[in-house]
Every structure is written in C-alpha cells, then in structure tokens.
Amino acid sequence: MNDTICALATATGGAIGIIRISGDQSLEILSRVFSKDLTTVPPNTIHYGHIKDIDEVLVSVFRAPHSYTGEDSVEISCHGSRYILNKVLELLIQQGCRMANPGEYTMRAYLNGKMDLSQAEAVADLIASSNKATHQMAMSQLRGHLSSKLAQLREQLLKLTSLLELELDFSDHEDLEFANRSELLNLAKDIDTHITRLAKSFEMGQAIKQGIPVAIVGKTNVGKSTLLNALLKDDRAIVSDVHGTTRDTIEDTIDINGITFRFIDTAGIRQTSDEVEQIGIERTYAAIYKASIVIWMVDEEPSQEELNKMSVHTENKKLIIVRNKIDKAESTPFTIVKIPLIEISAKHGTHLVDLEQAIYETADISALPQSDFIVTNARHYDALTRAHAHLQRVLDGLSPHPSHLLPLTPPDLVAEDLRLTLDTLAEITGGEITPNEVLGNIFKNFCVGK
C-alpha cells in the first residue's frame, strides 16, 4: 500500500490511451520524466507537455483525498500506440513505480474509505454491464443504495442489541427489563422480512445479470429453430424439413426492452429409436428444468395428454404457448388450450414483436431496473442467508414457548445471535472481513487498470 503504482487504464489500439498513477510519489516520479514540475501545481488541473522524447501528452492531477483512490493520483493521456504506452510505463517503472495488481486501484479506494466493499464490487459489475438493466443495477449499488438499506437494518439491530445488553449489565436485578419482548419480537420480524426480501431478489438479479433463460420446446418441425433465427436475426440454427435436425441445445442472447434473454433452442420432443437424438431430447427436458420461461411451440392443437405432460414438466415455470405457421394454418381457434397464446409465423416474422413483448411481460421484471435493492452478488446472498439464519434464532428466543414448562431463551444467548447477525451483515459492506482472503478473492478478477 506504500508503493506508487501505475497501469494502463484503457484498452490498447484506440486513438487515446490513459495511464494511471497512484501513490504518495505520483507527482515526484512523473515530474522526473515530464517537461514540467508537477509537485507544486494546483489539484484538479490539466497540463500539456512532453514525456522525454516519447510523446506529447495531457496530464490530469488529483490530490489526496480527492481522487478515485484517495491518494495523490495522476492520469496521463497519450496517443494510443502500443509502443508509446509501453515506453511510458517502462519509464515510470524505472523511476520507482511498480505495475498495479488487478483491481488494486479500487482496493485502495476501499481501504482509504472512498467506498465500501459492496460499492467496490459494483465497479466490476458496471464495467461488465451489457444492457440497461445490469447497468442500472450496478449504478444503484455504486451509489450506495444497498449500503444505505443495510445501514438502516443494522441501526435497528443495534437498538435491539443495546437494550438486551443493558439488561445483562443489570442481571443481578431479575425483575428489571429494559426491552419489551413483544416490541423486540415485532422489530426483529420486520428486520427479517427485509433481509429475506433482499435474499430472494438474488435469483432474479442473477438472471438479469447472466440473461433470463428461455427454453423453446415442442415437437420436431414446428419451427423452433426458425423462431430462434428470427429472434436473433441471424442463421444461428440449422433449419430443415427433416425431422430431428436439432440434436443438441443451441443458445444465444438478445435484448428486449433493455433486458437480456438467453434463448435455448432444443431438440424436438418425439418418440425415437435414434440414440443420439434421444440424448438431445433428454437435454431438452434439462433445459426446461433450468429455464425461467418456457416457449411451447405448436403448429396444431395439442391433445389433452400432451397438455397434461407439458404441465408436469413446466410446473413452477412461466409458460407461453406459441402457435406457429399461421400463414398455413386454418383460422379455427383451439378448443382445449384455455390459456392465452401467441399466434405467429416464424418464417415470415409475423407477430414476432407481440411475442417479444409477451416474453418481457411474462418475465415480470419491468420494475426491477428502477429498484434500488436487487442483490446480484453471490457473496452478498451468502451473507444475507446466514444473517437470516442467525435472526431466526433471535426470533425463536424472543417468541413465547407454546409450553410454559420450557424456560425462555436467556437474553445473553439472544444478544449473541444479534451480534452474529450484525457482523454477518457488516461483511457485505466490509465491516468484518479477513483482508488477505476475502479482499484478494474479490479484486482478483478486476482488470489491471481498475
């Protein structure tokens, strides 16, 4: 942490490349190779000059603590030549800098109090964001919305803990009770409701982050691969009149209203003696199991037996029935299928916009990008589930036992579970962590310039 570090903060090959320097010696080191002494210049200023005989550059100067890392920091804007950038980095290392480790700038920002740990993790999510929803969730976390919510919950928990521990300080007065058990129980229940809601948001947060899985299933030759190609606007899957053409799952993603959906084209479901095709059909059922939404494509009305079988396989799934080939089919309405269905022609692109809108609405995530409290990080989810487990013991300890023969849980044990809940929630923002293990694991996947 006492080293002055440097690294390229932009991808090579562009018109401009930015090299970032951070540490106590940033200005002194750069001044040795720059055409101007930067040690006395005002903060938050930009200076034009030369770096040796290598390049004409602009240098942005930031003084601690008003920089990304909270340290003295400099950003050098060079021409984007790989040769120029490497020569500048070589010069800086010769003058006393060392190359930054992956994520070291953001780690220093965290350690210097510029952001908490959940905000630091949001930096990586922001860089990796691929659509409107993931961008907004990362920005929400970076702005501290999750941190603020957790701070509110911890403040309420501290109130609970303080009252119980106050009683422990006067444990020799058996009749003295500072905390009304009924009020404490209601408060603990309210806190647990919020923690549970945050934990439950993880599944949808992960789906939005990685792409909501949508399985396209149905019999052979109903147009599943044609639909995938039409949605992707690309010949991604082989289309043929031969039954059983698709032998394996094919995946690709598209954005609908700023949300990424991961479509999975599957092998047609039918009775077959072909061993390879049968493996593909087994993978179709596996894709249904993993999907959040199932598009069941038909070109004729399914039988009651087929409806019953699909209902079993799609239990707890969001199901959309799509009637394909309306350019060929008669206009006779289905008589057995009672749930709403979308009628399309995948070959001619008819009503595909309606289908996309139906998929978006079925996902039921229209309000999520505006929500401040969507958990997308597995580490946060783990901490929330452990906090919930600790708080369950608190609730058990505060709740009256059905049998009056059983003694109430001693307040010192309840207070200990409350402290464990507090410490576990603190892990999310960085209050209780093991730096060598947790910090290294969090920042190892960052790019070097961050």
Side-chain angles (χ1 to χ4, degrees):
M1 284 296 296
N2 294 323
D3 293 344
T4 297
I5 56 176
C6 64
L8 183 62
T10 53
T12 57
I16 301 294
I18 296 177
I19 293 173
R20 175 179 283 170
I21 311 173
S22 184
D24 293 342
Q25 300 299 310
S26 297
L27 299 175
E28 288 82 353
I29 288 174
L30 183 54
S31 294
R32 295 173 200 158
V33 297
F34 189 56
S35 57
K36 181 178 181 179
D37 182 8
L38 298 170
T39 57
T40 58
V41 301
N44 307 318
T45 54
I46 299 177
H47 306 270
Y48 166 78
H50 299 77
I51 292 185
K52 293 286 188 176
D53 297 323
I54 299 174
D55 197 13
E56 298 179 2
V57 302
L58 289 175
V59 174
S60 304
V61 176
F62 306 93
R63 297 277 189 178
H66 304 295
S67 70
Y68 179 76
T69 59
E71 306 169 329
D72 284 351
S73 184
V74 182
E75 291 183 358
I76 308 169
S77 298
C78 312
H79 290 94
S81 158
R82 185 185 296 272
Y83 171 79
I84 290 173
L85 295 169
N86 285 339
K87 290 299 290 183
V88 173
L89 285 170
E90 184 180 317
L91 267 179
L92 294 173
I93 291 170
Q94 289 173 358
Q95 295 300 321
C97 283
R98 71 162 169 84
M99 285 296 294
N101 294 318
E104 188 168 2
Y105 292 99
T106 306
M107 181 187 285
R108 290 188 176 200
Y110 161 68
L111 293 173
N112 289 325
K114 299 295 291 185
M115 58 181 72
D116 66 36
L117 200 53
S118 69
Q119 290 173 301
E121 290 167 306
V123 173
D125 288 341
L126 188 62
I127 294 171
S129 61
S130 58
N131 57 48
K132 179 181 178 181
T134 52
H135 171 262
Q136 290 191 359
M137 287 192 300
M139 285 300 297
S140 172
Q141 188 170 319
L142 186 60
R143 288 169 178 161
H145 293 155
L146 177 61
S147 304
S148 298
K149 184 62 180 177
L150 290 173
Q152 292 172 15
L153 295 176
R154 293 189 75 233
E155 185 177 351
Q156 291 175 302
L157 283 167
L158 279 170
K159 179 182 177 181
L160 274 173
T161 308
S162 301
L163 290 171
L164 284 175
E165 292 191 350
L166 188 60
E167 286 185 10
L168 294 176
D169 290 338
F170 294 90
S171 57
D172 52 332
H173 297 76
E174 295 183 1
D175 297 330
L176 195 59
E177 186 178 272
F178 289 93
N180 182 289
R181 289 298 185 270
S182 178
E183 291 180 5
L184 290 183
L185 180 60
N186 290 334
L187 181 57
K189 286 180 178 178
D190 183 60
I191 295 170
D192 188 55
T193 298
H194 288 291
I195 290 175
T196 303
R197 187 179 298 130
L198 282 171
K200 284 183 177 179
S201 73
F202 175 71
E203 183 177 354
M204 182 55 73
Q206 279 292 95
I208 293 175
K209 197 173 178 179
Q210 299 176 2
I212 297 174
V214 182
I216 306 173
V217 304
K219 292 181 179 179
T220 57
N221 273 18
V222 294
K224 299 185 298 298
S225 297
T226 303
L227 175 61
L228 179 67
N229 290 342
L231 290 169
L232 298 174
K233 298 178 176 60
D234 187 22
D235 291 334
R236 180 72 173 80
I238 297 174
V239 176
S240 169
D241 291 334
V242 177
H243 289 270
T245 303
T246 302
R247 300 293 187 95
D248 202 350
T249 56
I250 302 172
E251 297 188 24
D252 216 327
T253 60
I254 66 169
D255 279 5
I256 301 175
N257 297 337
I259 304 295
T260 299
F261 289 85
R262 180 160 45 87
F263 286 89
I264 310 161
D265 181 24
T266 63
I269 300 173
R270 66 168 182 166
Q271 294 294 327
T272 179
S273 58
D274 187 304
E275 185 177 346
V276 176
E277 187 179 353
Q278 184 58 43
I279 293 173
I281 294 171
E282 290 173 2
R283 292 185 178 182
T284 295
Y285 289 118
I288 292 174
Y289 176 75
K290 295 177 182 177
S292 296
I293 300 173
V294 176
I295 295 177
W296 182 19
M297 288 196 72
V298 297
D299 55 6
E300 60 183 10
E301 183 165 18
S303 66
Q304 187 62 58
E305 181 183 354
E306 289 172 326
L307 278 169
N308 294 339
K309 187 175 182 180
M310 186 56 68
S311 296
V312 171
H313 286 295
T314 59
E315 187 178 7
N316 299 323
K317 305 291 179 182
K318 296 171 180 176
L319 178 65
I320 301 175
I321 299 182
V322 175
R323 182 182 187 181
N324 191 25
K325 304 180 183 179
I326 60 170
D327 52 316
K328 295 182 179 180
E330 298 179 359
S331 58
T332 306
F334 287 176
T335 58
I336 297 178
V337 178
K338 302 299 182 183
I339 66 174
L341 58 85
I342 309 294
E343 295 187 327
I344 68 166
S345 171
K347 181 177 181 180
H348 298 288
T350 308
H351 298 162
L352 284 187
V353 173
D354 296 336
L355 175 57
E356 289 182 356
Q357 186 61 30
I359 293 168
Y360 179 77
E361 291 175 358
T362 301
D364 194 26
I365 41 81
S366 58
L368 284 182
Q370 287 76 42
S371 175
D372 291 339
F373 312 126
I374 302 299
V375 175
T376 62
N377 188 297
R379 190 181 69 84
H380 301 174
Y381 173 73
D382 175 65
L384 287 167
T385 53
R386 286 186 287 116
H388 169 68
H390 296 316
L391 204 49
Q392 282 300 302
R393 290 197 295 273
V394 172
L395 291 173
D396 291 341
L398 293 174
S399 300
H401 291 287
S403 172
H404 296 292
L405 299 176
L406 292 174
L408 293 175
T409 303
D412 55 337
L413 294 182
V414 177
E416 177 61 24
D417 283 321
L418 279 170
R419 283 192 290 268
L420 288 171
T421 307
L422 280 166
D423 290 344
T424 305
L425 290 178
E427 292 178 18
I428 298 175
T429 53
E432 297 287 335
I433 58 170
T434 306
N436 289 338
E437 297 176 7
V438 180
L439 288 184
N441 187 58
I442 287 171
F443 291 106
K444 69 180 181 181
N445 295 319
F446 274 57
C447 52
V448 171
K450 269 293 181 181

